[in-house]
Amino acid sequence: MRNIRKGTGESRRGKETILLILNSAKTILIEQGYSKLSMRKVAVGAEISVGNLQYYYPSKNDLLKDLLDHSIDEFMNEFERLRVGVNNDPELHLRSIINFIVLDLGNPTTTTFYPELWALANHDEYADKLMDQIYARVRLPLEDCITRINPKLSVEQVKKVALFISASMEGMTMFVGNGKVWNDSIKQMANIAIMSFLQMVKKITPEDIDKVL
Amino acid sequence: MRNIRKGTGESRRGKETILLILNSAKTILIEQGYSKLSMRKVAVGAEISVGNLQYYYPSKNDLLKDLLDHSIDEFMNEFERLRVGVNNDPELHLRSIINFIVLDLGNPTTTTFYPELWALANHDEYADKLMDQIYARVRLPLEDCITRINPKLSVEQVKKVALFISASMEGMTMFVGNGKVWNDSIKQMANIAIMSFLQMVKKITPEDIDKVL
DNA sequence: ACTAAATTAGTACATTCGTACAAATTAACC
DNA sequence: GGTTAATTTGTACGAATGTACTAATTTAGT
């Protein structure tokens, strides 16, 4: 028999409890990894009872779902702020996006949270769809800049270049992230990324992308 | 009280059992993720008893350690084969390395295994050290090519460029890997990568890397 | 103040987990 | 062929897990 979620968390008190829960869950996920994430640990971390946790999240999967949504929202909100004060110069805009994303990798939360998400996405459909959404959203302004800098590329080609740039930056997470060996070099890595991507976007031709060797 | 490992696996039979165990463990890790990896499931997959599994791997951590070693070895052996028939032209050599690594991302094992490893490395010291070793090994031939193509760069700068290239390629795993949305574009991504990295290595200056904005 | 709804706490249960251990079986060697 | 070592099986136990459920407590509306 399945429990029905009763805790809507619409009252002030309910919302506060939900925040305690999500913060606790996120802390555990980041510090110990998904394999160590349990309902009891989350309850202890949030300083509430297991029963209370179940009132808001009847199943562990419900909690995970909301945890992912919540964590993603935080990044998205920061990312949206980039839009404000967006420069009309596509090259400058591209620089600022790259700089923002690479430097964000130094954030301890980002460093550990995203690899967990990627691993999760390999076996959890919801995490997989969420990933698609986030990165599609990140690619949008990239695609806009690329189109304006290099108008010769087709829509499909622009999408692939944007994917390449976005994926490349994500790959640095495991190396220059917080606490990682190359963390000291994060500034230089951002420099290399900006120089490399900018040069590439300017010079790349449709034939470079679609040629068959 | 701690058990002492007795199974050396030196006999033919022992080696076969160990292979059954490692294959079972790897399959579970790839298909279900680390959080679902249990001694009992591994035993069932290997078609042996739990006791027998414990004979070779007294603790789960012992198994994980050997599993990581074994899986890494497979990639390394493939990677070493690149060395054979290595072209004296550094540019051609760089092309072939990039092509090999990017296309390897399409391998279903690589696609799911590496994100698990990255997530593991955030909380498991052994996985972390192993990662350092693998990627340092991958970077070696990259650094050699970069030094020869662009002799103006210092040793430290060459290392950072190699890190950038290696990390960039790893980042594509979550997007163009087997079963991923962009898997069809893996060839074009390799093209963009080759064009982008080659151009960058040729043109980048020491000032590009170390300038402070 | 009274009542109903929202929230919290506490308990209980079946399952799975890692691991310890003893006994049985098989293989190897002289 | 008998002995020893290597391998395999089976069982057991305590701890942790997800979740169902009931009762107590707090909050909000009238």
Side-chain angles (χ1 to χ4, degrees):
Chain A
M1 194 65 69
R2 185 116 194 88
N3 233 343
I4 296 172
R5 173 170 173 174
K6 287 164 290 183
T8 57
E10 284 178 13
S11 74
R12 187 185 50 78
R13 197 171 166 213
K15 280 184 183 169
E16 280 174 1
T17 307
I18 286 183
L19 276 186
L20 286 176
I21 293 172
L22 291 177
N23 283 334
S24 169
K26 192 173 180 182
T27 301
I28 294 171
L29 182 70
I30 288 173
E31 290 182 353
Q32 302 179 243
Y34 178 68
S35 71
K36 298 286 175 58
L37 184 73
S38 74
M39 295 293 268
R40 276 168 181 81
K41 281 186 186 170
V42 171
V44 169
E47 293 180 310
I48 60 174
S49 67
V50 200
N52 196 8
L53 171 57
Q54 280 186 291
Y55 174 69
Y56 292 102
Y57 299 104
S59 81
K60 187 182 175 180
N61 218 42
D62 293 325
L63 171 58
L64 177 66
K65 198 168 163 295
D66 212 25
L67 171 62
L68 294 182
D69 283 337
H70 186 256
S71 302
I72 295 312
D73 279 348
E74 286 183 359
F75 172 82
M76 286 304 215
N77 287 337
E78 281 187 54
F79 190 70
E80 290 300 330
R81 255 184 275 162
L82 261 185
R83 213 174 242 291
V84 187
V86 49
N87 200 302
N88 211 6
D89 181 355
E91 196 172 315
L92 267 178
H93 193 196
L94 185 56
R95 277 178 188 272
S96 78
I97 294 174
I98 296 169
N99 206 56
F100 171 81
I101 294 183
V102 174
L103 295 190
D104 180 59
L105 301 180
N107 183 323
T109 297
T110 303
T111 300
T112 45
F113 178 82
Y114 280 85
E116 291 288 342
L117 177 63
W118 302 332
L120 227 42
N122 275 325
H123 318 103
D124 182 302
E125 197 180 345
Y126 187 78
D128 189 50
K129 292 206 170 186
L130 205 61
M131 259 192 65
D132 279 347
Q133 290 173 19
I134 313 163
Y135 289 114
R137 180 67 196 76
V138 169
R139 266 179 264 129
L140 271 183
L142 287 177
E143 290 164 3
D144 179 59
C145 294
I146 295 165
T147 307
R148 289 163 68 194
I149 295 177
N150 191 335
K152 288 181 185 171
L153 302 178
S154 73
V155 176
E156 284 305 310
Q157 289 165 338
V158 166
K159 285 189 178 184
K160 281 162 189 167
V161 172
L163 177 68
F164 173 81
I165 292 178
S166 170
S168 291
M169 293 188 290
E170 293 305 302
M172 296 187 224
T173 308
M174 303 80 78
F175 303 96
V176 303
N178 182 271
K180 301 292 177 181
V181 183
W182 297 84
N183 187 245
D184 292 340
S185 310
I186 195 166
K187 249 299 186 187
Q188 286 98 330
M189 294 300 283
N191 285 343
I192 297 176
I194 290 174
M195 182 276 179
S196 172
F197 296 146
L198 224 52
Q199 187 93 338
M200 183 266 286
V201 172
K202 284 182 194 169
K203 304 272 181 180
I204 202 166
T205 66
E207 294 74 35
D208 286 330
I209 299 173
D210 284 310
K211 75 182 160 198
V212 182
L213 295 179
Chain B
M1 193 66 69
R2 184 116 194 88
N3 231 342
I4 296 171
R5 174 170 173 173
K6 288 163 289 184
T8 57
E10 285 177 14
S11 74
R12 186 185 51 81
R13 196 171 165 212
K15 279 183 183 167
E16 281 174 2
T17 307
I18 286 183
L19 276 186
L20 286 176
I21 293 172
L22 291 177
N23 283 334
S24 169
K26 192 172 179 182
T27 301
I28 294 171
L29 183 69
I30 287 173
E31 291 181 354
Q32 309 186 46
Y34 178 69
S35 70
K36 298 284 176 58
L37 183 74
S38 75
M39 296 291 270
R40 275 168 182 82
K41 282 186 186 172
V42 171
V44 169
E47 292 180 310
I48 61 174
S49 68
V50 200
N52 197 7
L53 171 56
Q54 281 186 290
Y55 174 70
Y56 292 100
Y57 300 104
S59 81
K60 186 182 176 181
N61 218 42
D62 293 325
L63 171 58
L64 177 66
K65 198 168 162 299
D66 211 25
L67 171 62
L68 294 181
D69 284 338
H70 187 255
S71 301
I72 294 315
D73 279 347
E74 286 183 359
F75 172 81
M76 287 306 215
N77 287 338
E78 280 187 55
F79 190 69
E80 290 301 331
R81 255 184 275 161
L82 263 185
R83 214 173 242 292
V84 187
V86 50
N87 201 302
N88 212 6
D89 181 355
E91 196 172 315
L92 268 178
H93 193 196
L94 186 55
R95 278 177 187 271
S96 78
I97 294 173
I98 297 169
N99 207 53
F100 171 82
I101 293 183
V102 174
L103 295 190
D104 179 61
L105 301 180
N107 184 323
T109 297
T110 303
T111 300
T112 46
F113 178 82
Y114 280 85
E116 290 289 341
L117 178 62
W118 302 332
L120 227 41
N122 275 324
H123 318 103
D124 182 301
E125 198 179 345
Y126 187 79
D128 190 50
K129 291 205 171 184
L130 205 62
M131 258 193 66
D132 279 346
Q133 289 173 19
I134 312 163
Y135 290 114
R137 180 66 197 77
V138 169
R139 267 179 263 127
L140 270 184
L142 288 178
E143 290 164 2
D144 179 58
C145 294
I146 295 166
T147 308
R148 289 164 67 195
I149 296 176
N150 192 334
K152 289 182 185 170
L153 302 179
S154 73
V155 176
E156 284 304 312
Q157 289 165 337
V158 166
K159 285 189 177 184
K160 282 164 189 167
V161 172
L163 176 67
F164 173 81
I165 293 178
S166 170
S168 291
M169 292 188 290
E170 294 304 303
M172 296 188 223
T173 308
M174 301 82 77
F175 303 97
V176 304
N178 182 272
K180 301 293 178 181
V181 183
W182 296 85
N183 186 245
D184 291 341
S185 309
I186 195 166
K187 249 298 186 187
Q188 286 98 330
M189 295 300 284
N191 284 343
I192 298 177
I194 290 174
M195 182 276 180
S196 172
F197 296 147
L198 223 51
Q199 186 92 339
M200 183 266 285
V201 172
K202 285 182 192 169
K203 304 272 182 180
I204 201 165
T205 66
E207 294 74 33
D208 286 331
I209 299 173
D210 283 310
K211 73 182 161 198
V212 182
L213 296 181

